[in-house]
């Protein structure tokens, strides 16, 4: 035996295994075959199929998991549907008590959950025990509070119904908590599919639900592979799909749900930048890298897998990283002294090996520690890749393993350009002692979460989710709750004001007839042009469309825009820099537009009467409502505030609303003027540039409005107006990779087409029910529109020692 003095000299660690006897006993007693948890009871799979679940650290079989099929999913969804009304009607306080009970029981059995998670997933026990399980309990405690407050804080909302949830294998129980806690808090019931590799803690959670007497059917767990997930996604009685996983699968889900009316949230892949400036504390940076990329073996969607280091410190940082990598311990995950555990499965290990070898062939220098990895199980050593080109595959593709690439920059502008040189936008870390620089860089990075001098910090109070092809929607915080509710429909008046149909309205009498007679129609040979980049533009195709009034008589012509015109409009919208203007300036411009619209109300009222056949009073109401709506969004422009989340760290966690970028809006068919203003100006108020497709029925009301834009100091390209056939313009905008969000107010078939095509770059979409909305009422303005025109970036700023 070595002497104590020798141990102090070598500082070698001895084995410190965590006891997993209770977990293995639970597996043996409950299994080794596990069925589905449906309607509060254990059910055998309808197809009778099972598959093995293995310990990644030694390849030993732990048990057998049921393979779910369509019949199992049908049964689970039916149970969830039957339970949903009762769960909703239980009220916020009742739901809060159940969520609180879940949190307490998780804490009572925390060691069992931690060891079971490590056995099934291969992550170090220190991570399961000290990070994952406490955060799981935190989510249920936090959302118990939201359940209690829901009636007051979300009084205008109602639950969606049945939520279908599909989670990955990298954080099995934590992802379950992220999904189930907000769904239950807001009155939904759940059908959840855990990852096929890591189902055991989800099944133990199902048992916990039974222990606390959660009403049957509120939580249902159906296990299986991708076939089970597809059955949940495609089930017609599921109202919401929440998915965490790869971008490729997320794109398939977007396509599969197009036109179904399902609400979806996607938390997808990432290639997160880790920016190191020359004044950063390099010792802290090194430990930050350890947490960023070697935490959970790099199997983290927001892993800091791209180090962007200032060229003045890059070499020193690489040297320190190599020295630190030599001290990392890889081995049996149940050893409390191990830093890096096992890769989840052979298929993932082969992917990591293949991508690293590809990087070597592209010219990268690959460095790994001198120690060898365990021979049993699936392990891959921590890897540092230097001399990497920004265009190299290993710098662009999500490796999902303990592999980090290092590149250099010279200026802050170059750092931002490199950070944003990716199709993803999930997270980023910024390391500098200059708080001014840190916040400036954080605001420019296209990512849903930015950590300053820290990394991989999570909390239930702070929303998490991505930009770009990292998906949309948020999990955690107030914004995460919104993913599981919808606006409660307001009562519609018995006879809301509507415009006349073209051929069905008879000639009006008295004042209405006089108003139409006094209206001046434009000359029939005058063609209203497109409005692109602040200028009137002729259509690329050289065609025009005749516009008919309510009697079917020619009222004018508009340009027939085509896909080239749509692309030109997007190019103009990209070049504005509108998102960098101050909210105060945007408000002033919108107020000015309202003022100028009011100044020409007479001409617009006459145009409305002549085109639509509405009466003079109805025309006055629509124009007045349009002016008021412009003032509403001018008022909101500098008041759509964020929040400071109360996360339990020494952090200021800033939740900052940001514009989506370039938005396409297919305006409602009617009302022609008010519908245009109600859908174009919420995005503009928040800093988005808009490409608007005017009402195909009443496009002249939108083309008249661009004269207001020209006199209201609206910068070129902020609002671009296309006219023509919606079905010709819609596909180009829905599939355009430079369009970041799209609103569509039209037919169900058109909405399905938009959602399907939006999968190309996973742009955010909102399918507004144009025909059913009372555009003169309060439901046609305000917070709902602003939420769909913005996304939340969470910036974590630590303070103190």
């Amino acid at each position: 035996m070595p002497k104590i003095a020798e141990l102090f000299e070598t500082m070698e660690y001895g084995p410190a295994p965590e006891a997993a006897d209770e977990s293995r006993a639970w597996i043996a007693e409950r299994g080794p075959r596990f069925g589905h948890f449906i309607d509060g009871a254990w059910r055998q799979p309808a197809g009778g199929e099972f598959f093995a679940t293995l310990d990644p650290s030694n390849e030993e079989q732990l048990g057998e998991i049921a393979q779910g099929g369509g019949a199992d999913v049908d049964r689970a969804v039916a149970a969830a549907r039957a339970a949903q009304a009762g769960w909703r009607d239980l009220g916020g306080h009742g739901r809060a008590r159940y969520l609180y009970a879940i949190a307490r029981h998780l804490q009572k059995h925390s060691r069992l959950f931690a060891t079971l998670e490590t056995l099934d997933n291969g992550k170090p026990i220190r991570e399961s025990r000290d990070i994952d399980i406490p955060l799981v309990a935190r989510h249920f405690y936090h959302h118990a509070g939201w359940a209690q407050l829901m009636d007051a804080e979300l009084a205008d909302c109602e639950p969606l119904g049945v939520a279908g949830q599909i989670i990955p294998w990298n954080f099995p129980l934590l992802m379950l908590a992220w999904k189930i806690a907000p769904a239950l808090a807001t009155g939904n019931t759940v059908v959840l599919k855990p990852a096929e590799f890591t189902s055991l803690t989800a099944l133990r959670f199902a048992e916990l639900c039974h222990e606390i007497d959660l009403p049957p059917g509120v939580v249902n767990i159906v296990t299986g592979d991708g076939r089970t997930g597809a059955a949940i996604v495609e089930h017609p009685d599921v109202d919401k799909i929440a998915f965490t996983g790869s971008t490729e699968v997320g794109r398939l889900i977007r396509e599969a749900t197009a036109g179904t009316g399902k609400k979806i949230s996607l938390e997808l892949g990432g290639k997160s930048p880790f920016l190191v400036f020359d004044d950063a504390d390099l010792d802290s940076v090194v430990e930050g890298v350890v947490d960023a990329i070697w935490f959970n073996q790099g199997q983290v969607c927001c892993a800091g897998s791209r180090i962007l280091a200032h060229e003045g410190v890059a070499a020193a940082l690489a040297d320190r990283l190599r020295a630190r990598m030599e001290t990392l311990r890889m081995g049996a995950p149940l050893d409390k002294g191990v830093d890096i555990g096992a890769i989840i499965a052979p298929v993932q290990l082969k992917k990591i090996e293949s991508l690293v070898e590809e990087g070597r062939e592209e010219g990268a220098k690959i460095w790994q520690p001198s120690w060898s990895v365990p021979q049993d199980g699936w392990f891959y050593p921590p890897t540092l890749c230097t001399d990497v080109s920004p265009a190299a595959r290993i710098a662009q593709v999500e490796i999902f393993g303990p592999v980090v690439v290092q590149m250099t920059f010279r200026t802050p502008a170059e750092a931002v350009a490199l950070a944003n040189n990716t199709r993803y936008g999930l997270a980023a870390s910024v390391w500098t002692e200059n708080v001014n620089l840190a916040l400036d860089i954080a605001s420019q990075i296209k990512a849903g979460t930015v950590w300053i001098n820290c990394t991989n910090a999570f909390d239930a109070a702070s929303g998490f989710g991505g930009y770009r092809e990292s998906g949309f929607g948020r999990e955690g915080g107030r914004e995460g709750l919104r993913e599981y509710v919808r606006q409660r429909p307001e009562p519609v008046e018995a006879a809301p004001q509507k415009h006349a149909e073209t051929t069905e309205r008879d000639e009006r009498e008295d004042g209405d007839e006089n108003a139409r007679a006094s209206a001046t129609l434009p000359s029939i040979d005058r063609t209203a042009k497109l409005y692109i980049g602040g200028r009137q533009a002729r259509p690329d195709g050289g065609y025009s469309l005749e516009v008919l009034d309510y009697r079917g008589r020619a009222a004018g012509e508009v340009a027939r825009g085509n896909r080239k015109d749509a692309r030109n409009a997007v190019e103009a919208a990209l070049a504005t820099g509108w998102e960098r203007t101050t909210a105060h300036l945007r408000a002033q411009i919108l107020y000015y537009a309202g003022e100028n619209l009011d100044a020409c109300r007479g001409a617009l009222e006459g145009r409305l009467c002549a085109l639509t056949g509405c009466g003079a009073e109805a025309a006055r109401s629509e124009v007045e409502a349009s002016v008021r709506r412009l003032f509403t969004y001018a008022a909101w422009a500098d008041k759509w505030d964020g929040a400071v989340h109360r996360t339990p760290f020494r952090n200021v966690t800033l939740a900052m609303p940001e514009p989506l970028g370039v938005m396409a809006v297919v305006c409602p068919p009617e009302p022609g003027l008010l519908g245009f203003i109600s859908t174009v100006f919420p995005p503009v108020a928040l800093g988005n540039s808009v490409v608007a497709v005017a009402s195909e029925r009443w496009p002249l009301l939108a083309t008249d409005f661009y004269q207001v834009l020209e006199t209201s100091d609206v910068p070129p390209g902020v609002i671009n107006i296309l006219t023509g056939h919606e079905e010709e313009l819609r596909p180009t905008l829905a599939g355009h990779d430079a369009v970041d969000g799209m609103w569509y107010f039209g037919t169900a078939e058109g909405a399905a087409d938009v959602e399907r095509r939006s999968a190309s770059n996973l742009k955010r979409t909102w399918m507004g029910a144009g025909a059913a909305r009372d555009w003169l009422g309060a439901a046609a303005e305000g917070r709902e529109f602003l939420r769909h025109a913005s996304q939340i970036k969470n910036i974590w700023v630590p303070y103190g020692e």
Side-chain angles (χ1 to χ4, degrees):
M1 291 290 293
K3 295 180 179 180
I4 293 177
E6 293 174 350
L7 289 175
F8 274 108
E9 287 294 328
T10 60
M11 292 301 290
E12 292 180 356
Y13 290 92
E18 174 72 58
D21 298 344
E22 188 176 348
S23 293
R24 295 187 186 279
W26 181 85
I27 293 171
E29 180 182 342
R30 305 316 196 268
R33 282 191 163 184
F34 293 88
H36 308 301
F37 184 75
I38 298 175
D39 203 17
W42 296 101
R43 315 287 183 182
Q44 292 301 301
E49 183 181 351
F50 291 84
F51 58 89
T53 184
L54 307 178
D55 181 340
S57 69
N58 56 25
E59 305 178 42
E60 292 181 1
Q61 180 170 319
L62 297 171
E64 291 185 317
I65 306 298
Q67 171 59 50
D72 302 304
V73 171
D74 287 343
R75 190 172 188 177
V77 173
R81 178 62 64 196
Q84 196 271 322
W87 181 247
R88 176 200 63 206
D89 295 342
L90 184 63
H93 177 67
R95 296 194 298 273
R97 291 176 70 129
Y98 277 110
L99 288 165
Y100 176 78
I102 290 173
R104 293 288 291 130
H105 272 63
L106 281 163
Q107 289 180 320
K108 290 177 184 178
H109 303 286
S110 61
R111 194 57 61 95
L112 170 61
F113 275 106
T115 54
L116 195 59
E117 191 84 320
T118 288
L119 281 174
D120 205 22
N121 171 271
K123 65 173 61 186
I125 185 62
R126 289 190 295 117
E127 294 177 8
S128 299
R129 182 194 63 201
D130 300 339
I131 299 174
D132 290 18
I133 305 306
L135 195 50
V136 169
R138 161 72 173 154
H139 270 268
F140 282 101
Y141 277 127
H142 181 78
H143 286 92
W146 274 123
Q148 182 74 28
L149 298 174
M150 182 180 172
D151 291 342
E153 294 299 309
L154 295 173
D156 59 337
C157 295
E158 63 183 13
L160 297 172
V162 175
Q165 303 176 324
I166 303 167
I167 60 175
W169 42 258
N170 56 341
F171 292 92
L173 193 61
L174 183 55
M175 291 296 100
L176 177 148
W178 281 24
K179 298 286 190 293
I180 288 182
L184 297 192
T186 48
N188 301 276
T189 51
V190 165
V191 177
L192 179 135
K193 187 197 89 67
E196 59 186 293
F197 294 134
T198 53
S199 299
L200 291 180
T201 47
L203 296 172
R204 177 62 185 90
F205 179 85
E207 189 175 83
L208 182 152
C209 291
H210 187 267
E211 291 167 358
I212 67 165
D213 294 323
L214 189 72
V218 171
V219 170
N220 304 273
I221 309 288
V222 182
T223 56
D225 57 18
R227 293 170 291 172
T228 314
I232 293 174
V233 169
E234 295 165 3
H235 200 287
D237 210 25
V238 170
D239 304 292
K240 155 79 178 183
I241 296 296
F243 171 76
T244 298
S246 71
T247 294
E248 290 69 29
V249 175
R251 189 173 283 112
L252 293 174
I253 291 174
R254 171 70 282 180
E255 293 172 349
T257 57
T260 64
K262 289 183 173 72
K263 190 170 186 178
I264 67 172
S265 54
L266 303 173
E267 197 264 280
L268 308 176
K271 194 71 176 176
S272 299
F274 188 102
L275 287 77
V276 182
F277 288 88
D278 55 354
D279 65 340
D281 177 354
L282 290 189
D283 290 330
S284 296
V285 168
V286 168
E287 295 309 310
V289 172
V290 172
D291 289 339
I293 190 60
W294 296 311
F295 170 59
N296 201 26
Q297 299 76 254
Q299 298 172 136
V300 183
C301 53
C302 55
S305 54
R306 289 187 299 144
I307 300 175
L308 307 177
H310 188 276
E311 63 180 13
V313 297
L317 175 59
D319 289 342
R320 295 192 192 199
L321 282 173
R322 294 186 189 101
R324 182 66 175 90
M325 290 164 70
E326 286 286 0
T327 68
L328 294 173
R329 298 192 71 224
M330 174 176 281
L334 282 170
D335 188 330
K336 293 188 285 288
V338 158
D339 300 304
I340 304 177
I343 302 300
I344 188 65
V347 63
Q348 182 62 24
L349 181 59
K350 290 178 181 177
K351 176 187 174 184
I352 297 168
E353 292 171 340
S354 174
L355 286 169
V356 171
E357 188 56 35
E358 190 172 340
R360 192 192 308 274
E361 292 171 359
E362 287 183 315
K365 293 181 179 178
I366 310 299
W367 193 91
Q368 296 172 336
S370 60
W371 43 260
S372 60
V373 302
Q375 297 304 301
D376 295 329
W378 305 303
F379 292 87
Y380 193 82
T383 302
L384 173 64
C385 307
T386 55
D387 292 352
V388 177
S389 164
R393 185 164 165 79
I394 57 172
Q396 292 291 326
V397 173
E398 185 179 35
I399 298 174
F400 223 63
V403 180
V404 65
V405 302
Q406 181 173 314
M407 296 171 282
T408 62
F409 65 85
R410 293 182 178 180
T411 66
E414 186 181 359
V416 170
L418 286 169
N420 291 333
N421 181 35
T422 173
R423 62 192 176 111
Y424 300 111
L426 191 55
S429 296
V430 179
W431 296 77
T432 173
E433 295 299 296
N434 184 334
V435 67
N436 178 59
L437 176 64
L439 293 175
D440 183 41
I441 296 297
S443 69
Q444 297 180 63
I445 294 175
K446 301 296 185 183
T449 298
V450 180
W451 295 293
I452 294 175
N453 293 332
C454 61
T455 190
N456 277 341
F458 307 100
D459 186 63
S462 178
F464 183 83
Y467 289 10
R468 297 174 166 178
E469 293 188 33
S470 288
F472 48 80
R474 292 293 182 267
E475 296 187 281
R478 185 188 294 264
E479 55 265 37
L481 286 183
R482 288 280 177 183
E483 300 297 331
Y484 288 93
V485 296
R486 59 175 161 242
Q487 203 83 7
R488 181 178 287 113
E490 293 189 1
V492 179
E493 296 179 7
Q497 178 69 45
K498 294 183 179 179
H499 287 301
E501 295 295 332
T502 301
T503 58
E504 296 180 358
R505 181 64 60 90
D506 293 331
E507 190 173 311
R508 289 185 180 273
E509 299 176 358
D510 304 329
D512 290 355
E513 179 64 31
N514 294 334
R516 287 197 299 275
S518 64
T520 302
L521 289 175
S523 171
I524 197 167
D525 62 357
R526 177 182 180 271
T527 300
K529 300 180 182 65
L530 307 173
Y531 189 69
I532 297 175
R535 296 183 298 177
Q536 298 179 38
R538 296 187 185 278
D540 172 75
Y543 291 98
S544 59
L545 296 174
E546 189 175 51
V547 178
L548 305 179
D549 68 9
Y550 74 102
R551 282 181 162 180
R553 299 178 301 192
E557 293 185 349
V558 294
R560 180 177 176 176
N562 63 16
R563 59 185 181 182
K564 179 65 163 59
D565 299 309
R567 291 196 295 266
N568 289 342
V570 173
E571 289 296 320
L574 282 168
T576 64
W578 181 241
E579 74 281 359
R580 294 190 295 274
T581 59
T582 66
H584 173 70
L585 177 59
R586 294 197 299 270
Q588 298 310 298
I589 291 174
L590 265 63
Y591 279 126
Y592 194 19
E595 176 186 338
N596 288 332
L597 177 63
D598 187 63
C600 60
R601 65 164 54 239
L604 284 168
E605 289 172 6
R607 173 76 94 174
L608 276 163
C609 290
L611 280 175
T612 70
C614 70
E617 182 60 35
R620 280 193 294 272
S621 295
E622 181 168 338
V623 174
E624 176 61 25
S626 297
V627 173
R628 287 178 177 271
R629 203 136 289 167
L630 282 169
F631 269 62
T632 293
Y633 290 115
W636 272 116
D638 59 356
K639 298 174 185 66
W640 189 241
D641 293 330
V644 177
H645 292 315
R646 301 186 70 86
T647 52
F649 303 95
R650 291 179 295 102
N651 268 286
V652 176
T653 306
L654 308 173
M656 298 174 56
E658 292 192 337
L660 301 185
V662 174
M663 292 185 60
V665 176
V666 178
C667 300
E670 58 176 342
L673 177 63
L674 181 58
F676 174 86
I677 288 173
S678 297
T679 54
V680 168
F681 278 90
V684 169
L686 298 187
N688 299 280
S689 299
V690 172
V691 177
V693 179
S695 162
E696 188 171 338
R697 183 69 190 87
W698 310 118
L700 290 171
L701 294 166
T703 58
D704 284 353
F705 187 78
Y706 61 55
Q707 298 176 40
V708 174
L709 298 178
E710 290 174 335
T711 57
S712 301
D713 294 337
V714 178
V718 171
I719 297 177
N720 305 274
I721 303 173
L722 302 176
T723 56
H725 292 307
E726 176 224 294
E727 66 268 17
E728 295 177 357
L729 297 167
R730 181 190 68 226
T732 299
L733 294 171
H736 202 302
D737 283 350
V739 173
D740 303 294
M742 186 163 179
W743 293 359
Y744 177 81
F745 298 83
T747 65
E749 295 77 14
D753 181 64
V754 168
E755 291 181 333
R756 193 174 300 111
R757 293 176 186 273
S758 72
S760 63
N761 70 334
L762 291 168
K763 60 175 62 67
R764 298 177 184 226
T765 60
W766 183 33
M767 304 296 104
R773 192 180 295 270
D774 175 14
W775 289 99
L776 286 170
E781 67 177 9
R783 293 177 180 272
E784 182 183 16
F785 287 76
L786 296 167
R787 278 194 296 271
H788 287 289
S790 59
Q791 55 194 347
I792 300 295
K793 172 185 286 183
N794 285 279
I795 301 178
W796 293 63
V797 186
Y799 59 82
E801 296 182 357

